[in-house]
Amino acid sequence: MIRRMTDTALSEENASLKARLAETEAALEEAVEAQRRLESIVGELQREKFAARSEKLDPEQFNLPLEDVELAQGVLEAAQERARRALKGDGATGPRAPARNRGHLPKHLPRIERVIAPESTLCPCGCGEMTRIGEDTSERLDIVPAQFRVLVTRRPRYACRRCSGAVVQAYAPEHVVPGGLPTEALIAQVIVSKFGDHLPFYRQAEIYARQGLALDRATLGSWVGRACFHLRPIVAQMRENLKAADRVFMDETRAPVLSPGRKRTKTGYFWSVVADDRGHGGTGPPVVMVHYAPGRGAAHALRFLEGYRGRFVQCDGYSAYDKLTAVERPEGAWQLVHCWTHVRRRFVKRLETDGSPIAEQILHRIADLYAVEKAVRGQPPATRLAARREHAAPIIAALRPWLEAQLSRIPRSSKLAEDIRYTLGLWPGLIRFLEDGQLELDTNPVENQIRRIALTRKNALFAGHEVGAENWAMLASLIATCKMSDVNPVDYIAQTLRSLLDGHPKSRIEALMPWQFRDPSSLAA
């Protein structure tokens, strides 16, 4: 009886332990699944914040981790070369590698020649002076560190010795900073260093201090602010040129602005509008206009596009742009052209996160569309349109039913289903490039400009106030347009400021546009 009671107790305890074990295993499985979901979310957030923004596999990117290896290789080659010279003797003359740099350095760079002659040109045999029979020439790239100089202006006065009434003197030229230190060239350098090369004023002040110049960032900011006042007519005329474009690209990015009295920033936005006809061989000037707005609503997009006479806006799938299509205009409502790069980016994320074969197939089909575009880039619109209708249209015709079929086979709550629904929701705008050869597949022209603003934002952290953000937008517009026109922005801003100060007539302001600038020393930045 005791044995039976013991067996029964053990059996009951065993059953209880098994039940508890089953509950623990179920809870553990749920915890593991939750951990997987969290790891997936964290992985996406890390890629969103830290990974490369472009999904293009640029071969140059793979060389970046090898730079240290190449540096070590250079040390090794220098040591080997010194060892060979030591074995042969310092004066040994043997066959040398050809001077491959000869003739490859830019022609506009000044040449400083030096002649290295033998210590004696007398014949060792006592025959007398030797005759020059040729020479070896090599070119090496040298640099003169940035050097300040003082520009002294003298205005002599003249008087007549026969009478005391006539005294003549040339008028003093007007300057951006009356009676101040900087020339127009120095102010242009400060502007481009911050808004083109992403160097905040305090870093520039540290660079100037190494030259013995005490220029604090407040002084630099004041100089740039005065230049903004004079450059406003230029940017206003650029916007008038942009209004004539038949198609514009549009995008927006955050603009942190310091909130007065709160010791923290508030979020504004930089809206970029770009006209770039180079993709279809157009002759219109490339123009970038950046605007600051305190928000991201559709009202700001409508305000910045007021007066534009074009028909198309190329943009991403942000819902605020949808309201543009309801605006009544003499030219007709805006037509939205959506971006295949944004669609592709979603499926790249699905492939990286989930290894989805469906996402991989979609990426292959989008790649086929871009292969067609690559073959006709820069061609006239009619040629581009004919190629698209012959090669891209069949891909598009097969893609939509295929996407709909895949959508019916996967869970509705999955991320992949969400991405497919996003793509199908933008379908009219995604296929509009099949109707006009001037349109592009993506919004890359404006995204490239937004990226530069983001780099300046990363280094400058925030704008001091909204007026500062507006000036930031204005100067970013000017520098970006210079770069798209292959114009050195430092030369352009310096000479344009000088022309405006010298009284360039407002009626001929078009002659001062960046795409009209023709300076022989100017090169693409």
Side-chain angles (χ1 to χ4, degrees):
M1 186 176 63
I2 293 174
R3 185 181 297 111
R4 285 198 300 270
M5 291 176 61
T6 304
D7 291 343
T8 302
L10 290 173
S11 177
E12 290 177 354
E13 185 177 359
N14 189 27
S16 175
L17 289 173
K18 286 183 178 179
R20 290 172 59 187
L21 178 61
E23 291 177 1
T24 303
E25 288 178 345
L28 179 61
E29 186 176 349
E30 289 181 2
V32 170
E33 182 61 29
Q35 181 180 357
R36 287 185 187 139
R37 288 198 300 270
L38 290 173
E39 287 176 349
S40 175
I41 293 172
V42 170
E44 288 189 14
L45 290 174
Q46 286 178 334
R47 280 188 291 273
E48 184 73 22
K49 187 170 182 61
F50 301 111
R53 297 297 183 186
S54 173
E55 297 87 20
K56 183 178 180 181
L57 297 180
D58 186 351
E60 292 299 324
Q61 292 176 349
F62 296 105
N63 293 331
L64 295 178
L66 301 178
E67 290 181 350
D68 288 340
V69 177
E70 292 167 349
L71 188 151
Q73 179 68 22
V75 173
L76 178 61
E77 290 174 355
Q80 290 174 341
E81 183 176 345
R82 174 168 290 188
R84 284 195 298 268
R85 291 181 60 187
L87 290 173
K88 293 183 179 180
D90 291 339
T93 57
R96 296 185 179 181
R100 291 188 175 86
N101 65 336
R102 185 175 180 182
H104 286 246
L105 296 176
K107 299 295 184 184
H108 75 279
L109 296 179
R111 261 64 175 176
I112 307 298
E113 293 191 1
R114 66 172 183 173
V115 178
I116 304 177
E119 293 181 0
S120 174
T121 57
L122 295 177
C123 179
C125 302
C127 303
E129 189 75 22
M130 291 189 288
T131 303
R132 181 172 177 172
I133 60 173
E135 65 181 8
D136 291 334
T137 304
S138 65
E139 291 185 349
R140 296 188 301 158
L141 190 61
D142 192 20
I143 184 172
V144 177
Q147 182 179 8
F148 290 93
R149 63 182 183 181
V150 178
L151 183 61
V152 179
T153 301
R154 301 184 187 277
R155 296 186 299 121
R157 293 189 299 271
Y158 295 88
C160 179
R161 291 186 179 275
R162 298 182 179 84
C163 65
S164 59
V167 177
V168 295
Q169 185 181 29
Y171 289 105
E174 186 180 353
H175 300 305
V176 174
V177 183
L181 292 175
T183 63
E184 290 72 37
L186 177 56
I187 294 176
Q189 181 64 46
V190 172
I191 290 173
V192 176
S193 293
K194 177 170 181 178
F195 300 101
D197 300 329
H198 327 298
L199 278 176
F201 289 148
Y202 78 91
R203 293 187 188 174
Q204 295 187 53
E206 292 173 355
I207 293 172
Y208 299 152
R210 292 199 290 268
Q211 297 277 355
L213 290 171
L215 298 173
D216 57 56
R217 55 185 174 182
T219 300
L220 300 179
S222 175
W223 292 354
V224 173
R226 288 176 174 271
C228 285
F229 172 79
H230 294 286
L231 291 170
R232 287 188 183 279
I234 301 294
V235 179
Q237 183 63 23
M238 284 168 47
R239 187 171 188 268
E240 292 301 316
N241 279 275
L242 187 57
K243 287 180 180 180
D246 193 48
R247 179 260 292 122
V248 294
F249 302 86
M250 197 168 189
D251 200 0
E252 75 291 330
T253 189
R254 290 185 307 106
V257 177
L258 192 63
S259 182
R262 300 174 64 190
K263 296 184 178 180
R264 61 180 180 177
T265 61
K266 59 183 179 180
T267 301
Y269 287 87
F270 284 129
W271 293 73
S272 291
V273 186
V274 175
D276 187 0
D277 295 337
R278 293 175 296 179
H280 58 81
T283 57
V287 187
V288 180
M289 283 300 304
V290 183
H291 305 274
Y292 170 77
R296 199 187 177 202
H300 302 296
L302 292 170
R303 176 162 59 91
F304 296 140
L305 291 176
E306 185 179 357
Y308 280 71
R309 298 183 290 276
R311 295 177 296 155
F312 301 103
V313 175
Q314 298 215 218
C315 56
D316 56 25
Y318 178 43
S319 59
Y321 294 116
D322 295 339
K323 296 184 179 180
L324 296 177
T325 60
V327 177
E328 295 183 2
R329 306 186 308 148
E331 301 83 7
W334 287 104
Q335 298 183 54
L336 301 185
V337 184
H338 287 121
C339 175
W340 278 97
T341 294
H342 283 77
V343 171
R344 180 182 182 275
R345 192 170 295 151
R346 285 175 166 258
F347 293 107
V348 167
K349 188 180 296 184
R350 294 281 69 77
L351 181 61
E352 292 176 346
T353 305
D354 307 327
S356 169
I358 295 177
E360 185 176 8
Q361 292 185 52
I362 295 174
L363 292 175
H364 283 306
R365 300 188 184 206
I366 294 176
D368 292 338
L369 293 177
Y370 274 94
V372 176
E373 287 303 297
K374 183 178 179 180
V376 295
R377 189 170 304 280
Q379 299 295 320
T383 304
R384 285 156 56 94
L385 186 59
R388 288 171 177 176
R389 289 179 174 173
E390 180 179 358
H391 302 292
I395 300 173
I396 294 292
L399 182 56
R400 177 163 188 169
W402 185 83
L403 287 172
E404 292 172 341
Q406 303 309 311
L407 188 59
S408 64
R409 298 172 185 168
I410 59 178
R412 292 183 55 83
S413 60
S414 67
K415 283 285 188 178
L416 181 60
E418 178 183 329
D419 295 336
I420 293 178
R421 286 194 294 269
Y422 171 86
T423 304
L424 295 175
L426 299 180
W427 200 256
L430 288 173
I431 65 172
R432 192 151 280 138
F433 76 100
L434 297 175
E435 303 171 5
D436 194 320
Q438 296 183 21
L439 303 179
E440 301 292 342
L441 255 70
D442 51 44
T443 59
N444 285 354
V446 69
E447 285 205 12
N448 292 337
Q449 306 306 324
I450 287 286
R451 191 174 297 115
R452 294 191 178 102
I453 294 174
L455 284 173
T456 303
R457 179 186 64 206
K458 181 178 180 181
N459 288 297
L461 299 182
F462 50 81
H465 45 72
E466 292 191 346
V467 175
E470 292 171 359
N471 290 330
W472 179 348
M474 187 187 79
L475 294 174
S477 303
L478 199 60
I479 293 171
T481 302
C482 284
K483 291 184 175 183
M484 291 183 71
S485 301
D486 292 334
V487 166
N488 186 322
V490 176
D491 291 346
Y492 168 77
I493 293 175
Q495 295 195 27
T496 301
L497 282 173
R498 187 67 266 160
S499 297
L500 292 170
L501 293 169
D502 288 343
H504 187 91
K506 188 176 180 180
S507 60
R508 294 198 299 112
I509 196 71
E510 183 68 23
L512 296 181
M513 294 296 100
W515 52 88
Q516 303 283 7
F517 186 69
R518 294 293 179 268
D519 184 0
S521 66
S522 179
L523 296 174

